[in-house]
Amino acid sequence: MMIDLSASSVEKDSAVMAVLNATPQADLVIIGAGIIGAAVARDYLARFPHHHVLMLERADRPAAHQTGRNSGVVHAGVYYPPGSLKSTLCREGLDTTLAYCRDHQLPVEQCGKVIVATDETEAQRLDTLYSNCKANDLQPERWSTRQIRSHEPAIRGTEGVYVRHTGITDYAAITRHMLSACKATGQFTLATGAEVETISEGADSVTLEVKQHARRVRVKSQALVCCAGVRADQLIRTQLGDCDFAILPFKGEYFRLSPRFDAVSSRLIYPVPDPAMPFLGVHLTRMIGGYTTVGPNAVLAAGREAYTCLDTSLAELGRILRVRGLYPLLWRFKRAVVSELITSLSKHAYASRIQRYCPAVTVDDFTPYRSGIRAQAVSRNGELMQDFHFVQTQRVLHVGNAPSPAATSAIPIARTVVDRLL
């Protein structure tokens, strides 16, 4: 059977909830039509092909936020401590994501990446990354200055770690494929523009009050999985009344480089990240489609979906400013906060990050590109939650913290979610 992978196909099919005037019943409701929600639906229907799954998406289309606004990198598990959920699920997700794309003729390229040190301090940090790679069975290679220049003539560095396993893909395309495959079972309904207002868990069911296009519908289900990204803490509070962490939205700003840089490197080029921060730094990314982007930086956004200044909401801004852990977090990372803010305000400062390892790039090579929002959980005392995190009751499971590499890890995350749900 041919599956239509076009965005318009999935989006046209997503209006079906408009006809559900009574109380819809489902075996499983999933909130969030990003790649994790799609993978959960796929995994669940594979195990229970006669059950019905209802997916509720607040946006007007699937993959509208983190899934459709990232750099498309299939991560290999370089940065995560061995034994952590991120390390385990990312390493498994690398293989399953590549296999899924190849099995279904979805866009993918395993081009590899080079992490480039530009001074002695960064070169010492490479030791930890190299050890992580070996622990995760990635067969890394240490490259000297001469080897970096030999393999990547446009790149400068004192030392590097080459990881051949890393790849690139289109996560929105993967999501659309999964949703189309779920729909083809005849047991799946996708409703967009559907905002969940209340969650009530009873002894034998979960009841949701859902607002869609000025209508309110009551939905009943045997179980509920929330894959809500930046709204994860909001839904936990909706159900439980409290949440011991808050999701802060960090905006990552990207630029597309001018066509002369379409083939600037054969591999992805990353700087050595600051181990105190959960962000990987401004990197050169080969994109599906044959062009190159740079980014992202990481600045606190003015709202959950505040991709531009025009998206700013006073209510959302007020919510962020009231987050208990915000101010100790900003104070702890004050140097990084200032540095990231400067890159947001100055293209020249942004370009200087890239020029450390790719001197040919200038601000004149920057062209506009979409930004993204990273949903990052922060504890009440201002600690960044580094690992994936789940909150579960008898019939409800919330994916509480799932920043990068969640897209890479989506298939094993989904398996974990369904296992825990059962």
Side-chain angles (χ1 to χ4, degrees):
M1 177 179 59
M2 293 295 291
I3 294 177
D4 189 347
L5 297 184
S6 67
S8 60
S9 170
V10 177
E11 289 158 19
K12 286 176 184 176
D13 290 338
S14 66
V16 293
M17 191 173 174
V19 302
L20 300 176
N21 296 315
T23 302
Q25 301 275 348
D27 295 288
L28 175 66
V29 169
I30 299 171
I31 300 175
I35 191 169
I36 294 180
V40 170
R42 170 181 172 269
D43 189 285
Y44 183 86
L45 286 170
R47 302 194 206 190
F48 303 101
H50 301 297
H51 285 197
H52 183 253
V53 174
L54 171 62
M55 178 174 284
L56 306 175
E57 169 55 48
R58 187 175 183 273
D60 62 356
R61 65 190 188 280
H65 297 298
Q66 290 186 102
T67 297
R69 287 176 168 269
N70 57 46
S71 56
V73 175
V74 184
H75 289 283
V78 173
Y79 306 98
Y80 318 115
S84 65
L85 276 176
K86 278 189 176 182
S87 174
T88 302
L89 299 184
C90 181
R91 184 63 185 87
E92 183 179 346
L94 167 71
D95 295 333
T96 55
T97 300
L98 294 174
Y100 190 90
C101 290
R102 290 165 180 161
D103 288 346
H104 299 288
Q105 294 78 53
L106 294 169
V108 69
E109 180 185 350
Q110 199 166 12
C111 54
K113 74 188 293 181
V114 187
I115 308 167
V116 178
T118 57
D119 59 35
E120 184 58 35
T121 299
E122 291 181 349
Q124 291 175 2
R125 291 175 183 167
L126 282 177
D127 292 338
T128 298
L129 301 181
Y130 184 78
S131 296
N132 284 349
C133 289
K134 294 190 71 175
N136 288 324
D137 192 29
L138 296 176
Q139 295 89 49
E141 298 178 17
R142 294 295 287 259
W143 282 5
S144 65
T145 299
R146 186 173 66 179
Q147 287 173 304
I148 292 171
R149 183 166 294 197
S150 173
H151 290 289
E152 297 289 353
I155 305 304
R156 302 291 179 266
T158 59
E159 194 174 346
V161 169
Y162 169 53
V163 184
R164 62 179 177 83
H165 294 75
T166 303
I168 54 174
T169 188
D170 180 342
Y171 287 113
I174 295 174
T175 302
R176 291 194 296 269
H177 185 278
M178 288 181 173
L179 294 178
S180 293
C182 289
K183 183 178 181 296
T185 67
Q187 297 293 328
F188 177 77
T189 303
L190 169 62
T192 59
E195 183 174 2
V196 175
E197 296 187 325
T198 67
I199 301 173
S200 301
E201 181 179 3
D204 58 358
S205 66
V206 181
T207 302
L208 311 176
E209 297 285 346
V210 181
K211 179 182 178 182
Q212 187 194 35
H213 309 312
R215 297 169 53 254
R216 280 179 169 79
V217 180
R218 179 170 291 181
V219 177
K220 295 197 73 172
S221 175
Q222 294 301 302
L224 170 66
V225 173
C226 299
C227 309
V230 291
R231 296 182 181 274
D233 58 338
Q234 177 186 357
L235 289 180
I236 293 171
R237 291 187 181 92
T238 296
Q239 181 197 357
L240 302 176
D242 191 24
C243 181
D244 62 1
F245 61 88
I247 297 291
L248 288 179
F250 286 90
K251 181 167 71 171
E253 296 164 318
Y254 295 85
F255 293 98
R256 179 173 172 169
L257 293 182
S258 57
R260 73 188 185 100
F261 286 99
D262 284 353
V264 64
S265 64
S266 300
R267 303 159 185 83
L268 310 182
I269 308 298
Y270 276 65
V272 178
D274 183 344
M277 294 296 290
F279 311 114
L280 302 183
V282 176
H283 46 85
L284 282 173
T285 307
R286 291 161 51 88
M287 301 292 289
I288 296 294
Y291 57 94
T292 299
T293 64
V294 293
N297 59 358
V299 292
L300 188 64
R304 291 183 176 98
E305 288 104 27
Y307 300 108
T308 70
C309 294
L310 298 177
D311 300 323
T312 300
S313 158
L314 292 179
E316 265 290 284
L317 184 58
R319 178 195 70 84
I320 292 168
L321 294 176
R322 292 192 299 272
V323 169
R324 182 172 166 182
L326 173 63
Y327 301 101
L329 173 73
L330 295 180
W331 179 253
R332 182 177 296 113
F333 297 113
K334 52 186 176 294
R335 290 185 181 178
V337 169
V338 172
S339 176
E340 296 295 313
L341 183 59
I342 289 172
T343 64
S344 182
L345 298 173
S346 168
K347 288 184 180 180
H348 289 280
Y350 197 113
S352 69
R353 295 272 188 96
I354 307 149
Q355 289 165 347
R356 295 187 65 188
Y357 57 82
C358 187
V361 173
T362 70
V363 294
D364 294 332
D365 297 303
F366 288 178
T367 61
Y369 197 69
R370 53 156 174 74
S371 60
I373 297 285
R374 174 190 175 116
Q376 175 63 55
V378 178
S379 69
R380 288 172 174 166
N381 64 359
E383 298 287 343
L384 292 165
M385 294 176 63
Q386 302 285 6
D387 211 351
F388 298 144
H389 180 68
F390 305 95
V391 174
Q392 186 172 6
T393 60
Q394 184 176 351
R395 293 182 175 273
V396 182
L397 189 146
H398 298 265
V399 180
N401 187 52
S404 180
T408 300
S409 310
I411 294 175
I413 286 176
R415 186 202 66 244
T416 301
V417 165
V418 177
D419 284 347
R420 292 187 180 204
L421 192 68
L422 297 178

